[in-house]
Amino acid sequence: MATRASLPSPATLSPSEIYAGRRIFLIGGTGFLGKVMLSMLLHRFPELGRVYVMVRAPNAKESENRFWSSIVSSPPFEPLRERYGSELEAFIREKVRVVGGDVGDVNLGLSEDEAQAVASDIDVILNGAGKVTFNPALDGALRTNVTGTRNLIAFAKRMKR
């Protein structure tokens, strides 16, 4: 565990250096905050290693379709469209891996091999998943907000870094 004395001073912290080459697992990427978070990460830190984005859907093909139709086409991606123009798709395909899954399921809905491969490759998990309506059905809210958090903690324990 790092001590306060061993941490760099705030004046020397550089988010660009911190994120350079890092591999991030973004959960909840289809929500408003998730879309903004992904867009900002890709826009401000293009030197990121990779971002795995979990997209809940019935199968991998639908997860991929939902990513392109719901996330990349959304307004938060406008700065990236302006920067990369016709090269945006190539940039995103280089940086992003879409993963179909669900936080409410064991292994986040991933097969054992898939879960181990992702967990072995990531440095950071950013969780934006959650039921955010004021009056959700209790079982749905518990599944996402409580069981999902427990499943994420179990998944994080598999990480190598």
Side-chain angles (χ1 to χ4, degrees):
M1 182 166 159
T3 64
R4 184 175 281 277
S6 67
L7 295 174
S9 73
T12 62
L13 287 178
S14 166
S16 293
E17 289 178 25
I18 291 169
Y19 282 114
R22 297 285 184 209
R23 294 168 187 249
I24 296 171
F25 192 15
L26 175 61
I27 312 295
T30 57
F32 175 75
L33 291 177
K35 290 174 188 174
V36 171
M37 194 172 354
L38 178 59
S39 175
M40 288 179 73
L41 283 168
L42 294 172
H43 186 259
R44 295 186 179 175
F45 308 108
E47 64 283 344
L48 274 170
R50 174 171 301 130
V51 181
Y52 291 89
V53 179
M54 179 170 285
V55 178
R56 188 181 59 220
N59 56 56
K61 183 177 181 183
E62 286 301 314
S63 292
E64 186 81 19
N65 289 341
R66 189 171 177 211
F67 172 77
W68 289 100
S69 66
S70 174
I71 297 174
V72 177
S73 66
S74 67
F77 275 72
E78 192 57 36
L80 287 164
R81 283 190 284 280
E82 289 174 11
R83 175 182 283 170
Y84 292 101
S86 64
E87 299 299 314
L88 177 61
E89 183 176 342
F91 173 74
I92 289 176
R93 289 193 185 281
E94 175 188 335
K95 294 293 181 179
V96 175
R97 299 292 182 271
V98 177
V99 177
D102 188 327
V103 294
D105 295 335
V106 174
N107 280 339
L108 309 180
L110 306 174
S111 71
E112 183 63 32
D113 290 341
E114 212 175 10
Q116 193 56 51
V118 172
S120 296
D121 193 42
I122 59 173
D123 301 297
V124 176
I125 296 174
L126 299 175
N127 180 24
K131 295 288 184 190
V132 295
T133 59
F134 288 108
N135 218 3
L138 183 58
D139 59 337
L142 286 172
R143 184 176 192 281
T144 301
N145 297 346
V146 177
T147 303
T149 300
R150 286 182 180 156
N151 290 340
L152 275 168
I153 291 168
F155 186 87
K157 289 178 179 179
R158 300 173 74 132
M159 293 171 61
K160 299 284 186 208
R161 300 171 228 187

